[in-house]
Amino acid sequence: MSQAPGEPGTPAGEPPAVEEEGLPARRDEQPAAAQVVRRGMFGVQDTPDTSGYGLLQVHKRPPVSSEPPYGGYFDTIAQELGGALEAGGLGFSDAIERVVVDRGELTFHVRRERLVAVCEKLLKEPALRFEIFSGVSGVHYPEDTGRELRAVYHLVSVTHNRRLRLEVSAPDGDVHIPSVVSVYPSANWHERETWDFFGIIFDGHPGLTRIEMPDDWRGHPQRKDYPLGGIPVEYRGTKMPPPEERRWYA
């Protein structure tokens, strides 16, 4: 904790030291051990670069992780969830990979095999009571090997006036995440949309079918490796049945 001006150890009239975490590294201070994920800028390669950007090296930062105390009601959520999980035979770290507090928001990065158990505790525990499932959306990070696809859940507690975000990752070669429809029935259409656009397979979903794109559409158009043009669009069987004869979901 930094000292205020005038306190012992800080010369009077001088501002406290500025926390430099997250600022660009000075010359000769690049983290040499960190993985370089990009060199140069604007995609320029093997050309005379007089802009000065040719020597730019972008290093892969380690995953952000916050340490307790998190502040406000965030500590209460973490403590109550940890106690509820321990009562069920799980430790907090067995279910939560890491906790991130950023810009006044709390995110739990949940191990995908524990997602349903965590959601059950968040909904049913009186000290938590996250009754509202606001939605799940997909994110694609093709450069993050082993964690390319993410499902991000937004929960709201009306009882306690709190908000919480859950994030679950899956590798591109195993795009399976458990469905939470059994806990939050309103996740049905949200999970279908996320599968439609990102290709995340929600195991246990009652009817994982297209919801935005045509049934015969190939691929998942919000992935970053999806082609951005020149795709022939063909709708087979273009006859539109009357509303009472269209497919519906109970």
Side-chain angles (χ1 to χ4, degrees):
M1 182 175 179
S2 60
Q3 293 176 314
E7 290 183 356
T10 302
E14 292 187 9
V18 177
E19 180 62 50
E20 295 188 350
E21 182 179 356
L23 295 178
R26 296 189 177 92
R27 184 180 295 275
D28 300 328
E29 290 185 359
Q30 287 284 2
Q35 177 186 357
V36 177
V37 294
R38 192 177 79 242
R39 298 178 184 273
M41 186 169 263
F42 311 121
V44 178
Q45 296 179 355
D46 302 324
T47 61
D49 182 4
T50 59
S51 68
Y53 288 116
L55 299 179
L56 176 69
Q57 294 184 355
V58 179
H59 294 82
K60 182 178 181 181
R61 295 182 177 182
V64 177
S65 181
S66 303
E67 297 295 331
Y70 308 120
Y73 64 76
F74 297 166
D75 294 286
T76 301
I77 294 176
Q79 292 166 6
E80 295 294 340
L81 177 60
L85 290 171
E86 290 178 3
L90 290 175
F92 185 81
S93 60
D94 294 331
I96 308 299
E97 293 180 324
R98 55 194 172 98
V99 179
V100 176
V101 177
D102 186 42
R103 296 173 176 85
E105 298 178 332
L106 175 65
T107 304
F108 287 160
H109 289 255
V110 184
R111 303 182 192 280
R112 57 177 172 170
E113 65 271 15
R114 305 299 188 192
L115 176 61
V116 175
V118 168
C119 287
E120 287 178 343
K121 301 300 183 183
L122 291 172
L123 173 64
K124 298 177 181 178
E125 286 296 317
L128 296 169
R129 290 294 187 199
F130 284 90
E131 310 99 334
I132 296 181
F133 179 92
S134 296
V136 55
S137 56
V139 191
H140 186 207
Y141 296 101
E143 74 285 351
D144 193 358
T145 304
R147 301 169 59 89
E148 292 89 349
L149 288 168
R150 313 280 180 86
V152 182
Y153 304 79
H154 298 272
L155 305 178
V156 178
S157 170
V158 176
T159 301
H160 301 290
N161 191 24
R162 297 169 179 168
R163 293 181 179 271
L164 173 65
R165 180 190 294 111
L166 307 180
E167 186 168 328
V168 184
S169 66
D172 206 5
D174 182 19
V175 292
H176 291 264
I177 291 177
S179 171
V180 298
V181 171
S182 60
V183 181
Y184 293 106
S186 60
N188 191 320
W189 284 24
H190 295 279
E191 290 182 349
R192 285 178 56 200
E193 183 179 55
T194 303
W195 173 81
D196 196 353
F197 286 147
F198 290 90
I200 298 174
I201 300 173
F202 293 94
D203 295 331
H205 190 282
L208 198 61
T209 57
R210 298 278 188 184
I211 190 172
E212 298 283 353
M213 307 303 293
D215 289 343
D216 55 3
W217 193 267
R218 296 181 180 179
H220 304 280
Q222 285 192 353
R223 289 175 58 106
K224 292 182 180 178
D225 55 6
Y226 190 81
L228 295 179
I231 303 171
V233 178
E234 180 182 357
Y235 294 92
R236 291 180 285 275
T238 57
K239 180 180 178 182
M240 180 65 69
E244 65 272 10
E245 295 179 14
R246 296 177 191 170
R247 184 178 59 181
W248 63 282
Y249 298 87

